[in-house]
Amino acid sequence: MKNVYRWLPLFLFLLISPELLQGGPLYQGVMNIDGKTVHIAVYGDDERKPAMVCLPFGPGSSSHYLEESLPPLFDKVLRLVFIDYYYSGRSLPSGRPLIYDRRPVEGISPGEQADLILSLMTTLGIEKFGILGHDFGAFVGARLLRKAPRRVLFFAGVSPRLDYPGELSFLTEKLYETFERSVDENSVSGLKALEQKTRLLSLRGAKRLSPEEAEILFSLLGSVPELYFYQPVDKKTQKTVRKLLKTGAFLPLHSAKDMLPYLYSSSYYNSDETIPGEKSSIPVLLLQGEHDPWFTSVGDKKEKGSACDTIPRSAFFPMLENPGAFKAALLDFLRLHHIIDR
C-alpha cells in the first residue's frame, strides 16, 4: 500500500499534464514569418508521415482547442501543424491589439492569412501537406487550395463555413423570424422585439454587410442565445468548452463584440473566390455534426467531387463531442485516397 501512495503524486502530475504521456509537441512557440508574428505547434518528426495543417474556427480564435483534441487521435499516422492566424489567438503583435474601430487592418484577410501559412510551411521544409479547417478555418483552407493546389494533399472542412455572405443572410432571416414571433405591442418584451425587428429590416436581403451593418447584426444576436453558432450536445462537452474559454483558448484578449463586426464584414472577406469542388482534383471531405444548426445553410451546396460525412452525437465541435467517430471518418477518407496506408 505504501508503494501505491509513493507513486500517487507522479500519477496526479501526469493526469494534469497529459501531453507528457503523448510526447508533447516537437516545437511550440512564436516564429517570425514575412515580418509577422505567428504562433505554431508541430507534433511528429517522422517525415514519412503526411503533414496536416490544422486551422481553428473564427478569426480571433486560437488553435489551442485543436491542439488539445487532435494529437491523441492522429499522432500515430500524421504530422500535425497547428497555427494561430496572424493577429489571432497567440499570434498577436506586441503593442498592437486588434480592437474593432471601423478601420481595416492590413495583412489579416483570409487570402493574406493563406499566403502567410504557405510561407510558414516553406520555412518548416514541408512542401506538401493536407488541410483540416474548422469553420472559418475551412474558409482560409479554401484559399490555400486555390493558391497552391500542387502543395495540397487533401482538404477536410469541419463544420465548414465556406460561404460567409450566405451564412450571414441565413442568420439575419432566422433572427428576424425570432423577433417576429415575439412581437406584442401590449408587453415590454414585445415592444422590444418590435424595435429589434425594425433595426434588422435594413439588413434583410443584403448580399454583403458593411462593418456597421455587421455590428448591428451581432449586437442583436446577443439577445437570442439559441441562435449562437455552437449548441452543445452534452454537459461534458459544454464544460470542456467553458474551461477552454476561461483559459483564453479561443479569444484570449478580445471579445466577439470587439472583433466580429469588422471580421465578418465585406471589408474583410472576398466571397467571389472558388470553394473546393468539381474543379479540384484534390480529395475533399466535408464533415458536419449531426446537431449542427448552421450546416444546413451550406449543406445543399455540396460540390461535385466532395465527400460529405455526418458525425453522430455532435454539433459544432465533433472532434471534442465524438472523437472516436471523428477519427474514424477522417482516417477512412485518407485511406480511401491512399494518403495513409490501410
Side-chain angles (χ1 to χ4, degrees):
M1 196 66 178
K2 290 182 178 180
N3 290 333
V4 173
Y5 286 118
R6 181 186 302 172
W7 296 106
L8 185 59
L10 177 61
F11 172 76
L12 292 174
F13 179 71
L14 291 175
L15 191 65
I16 296 172
S17 307
E19 66 275 3
L20 296 178
L21 293 175
Q22 299 165 8
L26 179 68
Y27 173 83
Q28 185 179 55
V30 173
M31 295 185 69
N32 190 290
I33 305 295
D34 296 343
K36 297 180 175 64
T37 301
V38 183
H39 184 280
I40 70 166
V42 180
Y43 285 73
D45 59 355
D46 189 345
E47 294 184 0
R48 294 171 298 179
K49 296 176 182 177
M52 181 170 75
V53 172
C54 305
L55 303 175
F57 81 86
S61 67
S62 166
S63 61
H64 183 68
Y65 71 103
L66 293 176
E67 192 181 337
E68 286 198 355
S69 59
L70 297 185
L73 303 180
F74 304 113
D75 65 343
K76 297 184 184 302
V77 293
L78 296 168
R79 287 181 291 159
L80 303 174
V81 181
F82 299 92
I83 301 172
D84 284 7
Y85 308 115
Y86 178 55
Y87 252 119
S88 296
R90 295 160 289 183
S91 296
L92 285 171
S94 60
R96 291 192 63 194
L98 177 58
I99 299 296
Y100 167 60
D101 59 3
R102 294 180 174 83
R103 291 184 298 175
V105 178
E106 294 183 2
I108 65 171
S109 73
E112 290 166 326
Q113 298 282 11
D115 288 335
L116 193 59
I117 292 168
L118 287 172
S119 294
L120 169 64
M121 298 306 287
T122 299
T123 300
L124 293 176
I126 301 176
E127 178 60 26
K128 292 194 173 184
F129 51 89
I131 301 167
L132 184 143
H134 183 208
D135 183 70
F136 175 79
F139 195 64
V140 175
R143 276 117 194 94
L144 278 167
L145 191 56
R146 288 188 71 249
K147 288 174 177 290
R150 293 183 180 180
R151 297 187 65 179
V152 179
L153 296 171
F154 63 88
F155 176 93
V158 184
S159 305
R161 273 60 174 179
L162 297 170
D163 175 17
Y164 269 86
E167 290 292 326
L168 295 180
S169 296
F170 180 79
L171 176 59
T172 300
E173 286 304 311
K174 286 292 182 182
L175 202 56
Y176 186 86
E177 292 170 10
T178 301
F179 292 146
E180 195 168 39
R181 288 194 299 269
S182 305
V183 168
D184 179 2
E185 295 184 1
N186 296 319
S187 69
V188 174
S189 60
L191 287 172
K192 187 174 182 180
L194 178 62
E195 178 190 357
Q196 291 168 325
K197 192 180 86 165
T198 302
R199 290 183 66 197
L200 205 58
L201 274 173
S202 62
L203 308 186
R204 296 185 73 198
K207 293 183 178 180
R208 294 191 181 191
L209 299 182
S210 67
E212 291 75 21
E213 289 171 330
E215 185 175 24
I216 292 172
L217 177 62
F218 281 98
S219 66
L220 293 175
L221 179 63
S223 62
V224 188
E226 60 268 25
L227 289 181
Y228 288 175
F229 67 93
Y230 171 57
Q231 299 291 341
V233 297
D234 57 47
K235 291 183 178 180
K236 180 181 178 182
T237 305
Q238 191 174 37
K239 288 181 179 179
T240 300
V241 172
R242 285 179 177 173
K243 179 182 177 181
L244 288 170
L245 283 169
K246 287 180 180 178
T247 61
F250 295 153
L251 298 169
L253 296 178
H254 312 302
S255 69
K257 184 179 179 182
D258 291 330
M259 300 182 67
L260 289 181
Y262 167 64
L263 293 173
Y264 284 85
S265 74
S266 57
S267 302
Y268 181 67
Y269 58 79
N270 180 357
S271 64
D272 298 327
E273 297 187 46
T274 306
I275 66 173
E278 59 183 334
K279 295 181 181 179
S280 173
S281 60
I282 297 165
V284 173
L285 173 66
L286 303 181
L287 289 169
Q288 66 179 91
E290 179 183 17
H291 302 290
D292 188 341
W294 291 106
F295 197 87
T296 52
S297 63
V298 295
D300 295 333
K301 301 176 183 177
K302 298 173 183 175
E303 298 291 310
K304 293 180 181 179
S306 299
C308 297
D309 206 343
T310 300
I311 307 301
R313 302 185 304 281
S314 69
F316 184 71
F317 290 106
M319 73 291 291
L320 292 171
E321 295 162 328
N322 194 344
F326 180 82
K327 174 182 179 180
L330 183 58
L331 292 185
D332 285 348
F333 167 74
L334 296 180
R335 292 189 187 103
L336 177 66
H337 293 281
H338 308 289
I339 294 166
I340 62 173
D341 296 331
R342 292 183 178 275

